Amino acid sequence: MFPLSHMLKSFVKVGTLKVIDAEGRTHVFGGRAAGPDVTMRLTDPTLYRSLFLNPELAAGEAYMDGRMSFENSTLRDFLTLFSKNRLSLGSYPLQRVLRAASRGVKRFQQANPIGKAQKNVAHHYDIGNDFYRLFLDRGMQYSCAYFTSDDNTLEQAQQNKLRLIASKLDLKPGQKVLDIGCGWGDMALYLGRMAEGVQVVGVTLSKEQCRLANEKAKALGLADRVRFELRDYRELTERFDRIVSVGMFEHVGVAHYGEFFAKVNELLTDDGVMLLHSIGHMSPPGTASPWMRKYIFPGAYSPALSEVFTAVEQNSLWVTDCEFLRLHYAKTLAHWEQRFQANRAKVAEMYDERFCRMWEFYLISAEMMFRTGSQLVFHMQLSKKRDAVPIVRDYITDTQRAFIAREKERGIEPA
């Protein structure tokens, strides 16, 4: 177990980790502060070295393969303990060196030129709409919801999110709207149903998403005003009064931030407004989880706010409003994981047990990033003019109230 045991002694400051090694010996690593009590069994002695060298990648792979299991505790307990102790792991000498090296090459890890970006998106989003239906809300929104109450259902919270973002766009009748990374279309469709006479174009790199989004537009009778295209946003040339992007910026890659905001500037009309909804983090610039990058989101990265503001400033855009959703994504992911577990047997039939374990690890570890880690979601409102929207934020609340009344009038219930 040495040198893994040496690292674990330094790592566990909160809670207790008992490790049963491949030879059946038990090693106890206890922190000075109370926390989760986890018993982990390792069945492969090669894990001692891989966990020491790259714990985040090796732990995920070991759980997926069944070489790591838990007794009298759960994967959630382990990932909670891991998250609560993440800073002490990062300060361990070897990990500090390896993370510094990773930061040095992150621009190459996150390269997303046209063509490669579509391959990276397809890796995650084109595995089948039927799978996503098993754990997302009925509208299939795959981004942070907005919980105005702990009693909100997932469907209610996702509609709250649509309403909040639409209110921040300060829409006017007849405007042209672009949705960059439109997913399965609910944001664009909500705008088409709520705003008078707007024309909405949604672009995505996922064939599965584009097909279903256009089917939904046709079913709602909105195909004449809301359309979806399989297209990279960088290929667009027409200008728009409003631009929205929800959960797509995480796939841009830090080396492409300047390109992204330069294109936003190019596509916006002179008095246009953009609303960017993205995951970020409150800590200094870092790198993406190696396990997440390899198995879930190749090329993705959740930025430090300093990285985003720098790129915005360099492209002559005003940040006219900024809001932070701190725990809302933790709540969203908890709903997704509960629904995933309720349909786990179906997922196993569709794919296999290893796939189920991979998604369990992803959903719970992502929740911990927002519950006890440094992740957050931010709304950044951008424009070319400082007075493109009212200078007092009351209009956002007023518009939300008006939209609630309009939803009732038009029978628009949470999806």
Side-chain angles (χ1 to χ4, degrees), residues 214-270:
N214 275 311
E215 288 175 2
K216 290 161 74 172
K218 184 176 181 180
L220 290 169
L222 293 171
D224 60 329
R225 293 196 295 113
V226 182
R227 73 179 192 275
F228 300 95
E229 301 178 1
L230 186 67
R231 198 172 184 187
D232 194 297
Y233 75 97
R234 290 168 287 193
E235 299 173 340
L236 298 171
T237 56
E238 60 183 308
R239 300 178 81 193
F240 297 87
D241 303 291
R242 297 291 186 266
I243 299 176
V244 63
S245 183
V246 180
M248 174 271 182
F249 189 68
E250 300 91 321
H251 301 278
V252 169
V254 68
H256 299 276
Y257 288 172
E259 179 183 36
F260 178 86
F261 290 112
K263 192 64 179 181
V264 167
N265 194 319
E266 175 189 327
L267 294 175
L268 273 179
T269 58
D270 291 342

Side-chain angles (χ1 to χ4, degrees), residues 137-237:
D137 65 295
R138 288 191 294 276
M140 296 179 68
Q141 295 182 66
Y142 194 24
S143 57
C144 177
Y146 183 61
F147 291 83
T148 57
S149 166
D150 288 339
D151 296 331
N152 285 157
T153 65
L154 180 59
E155 280 72 20
Q156 289 170 330
Q158 289 291 13
Q159 185 149 316
N160 293 342
K161 184 264 300 291
L162 296 178
R163 187 186 307 122
L164 176 65
I165 292 174
S167 300
K168 291 180 178 183
L169 287 172
D170 192 33
L171 290 162
K172 303 293 188 294
Q175 288 184 327
K176 291 173 58 180
V177 183
L178 170 65
D179 184 354
I180 300 176
C182 60
W184 285 278
D186 263 36
M187 182 78 251
L189 294 170
Y190 182 85
L191 297 177
R193 298 172 81 182
M194 296 300 295
E196 302 299 334
V198 299
Q199 297 287 325
V200 188
V201 177
V203 294
T204 176
L205 296 177
S206 167
K207 295 178 182 178
E208 291 281 315
Q209 290 181 337
C210 187
R211 177 182 59 78
L212 182 56
N214 275 311
E215 288 175 2
K216 290 161 74 172
K218 184 176 181 180
L220 290 169
L222 293 171
D224 60 329
R225 293 196 295 113
V226 182
R227 73 179 192 275
F228 300 95
E229 301 178 1
L230 186 67
R231 198 172 184 187
D232 194 297
Y233 75 97
R234 290 168 287 193
E235 299 173 340
L236 298 171
T237 56

Side-chain angles (χ1 to χ4, degrees), residues 113-123 205-207 230 232:
I114 294 175
K116 184 179 179 182
Q118 185 160 3
K119 291 180 181 178
N120 286 341
V121 166
H123 173 90
L205 296 177
S206 167
K207 295 178 182 178
L230 186 67
D232 194 297

Side-chain angles (χ1 to χ4, degrees), residues 11 17 20 28 32 87-88 99 110 137 182 208 257 261 327 414:
F11 167 51
L17 176 64
I20 304 172
V28 181
R32 291 184 292 273
L87 295 179
S88 58
R99 291 185 184 202
Q110 299 164 26
D137 65 295
C182 60
E208 291 281 315
Y257 288 172
F261 290 112
L327 281 168

Side-chain angles (χ1 to χ4, degrees), residues 300-315:
Y301 171 63
S302 301
L305 295 170
S306 57
E307 294 174 296
V308 184
F309 275 101
T310 298
V312 169
E313 292 164 0
Q314 292 171 345
N315 285 281

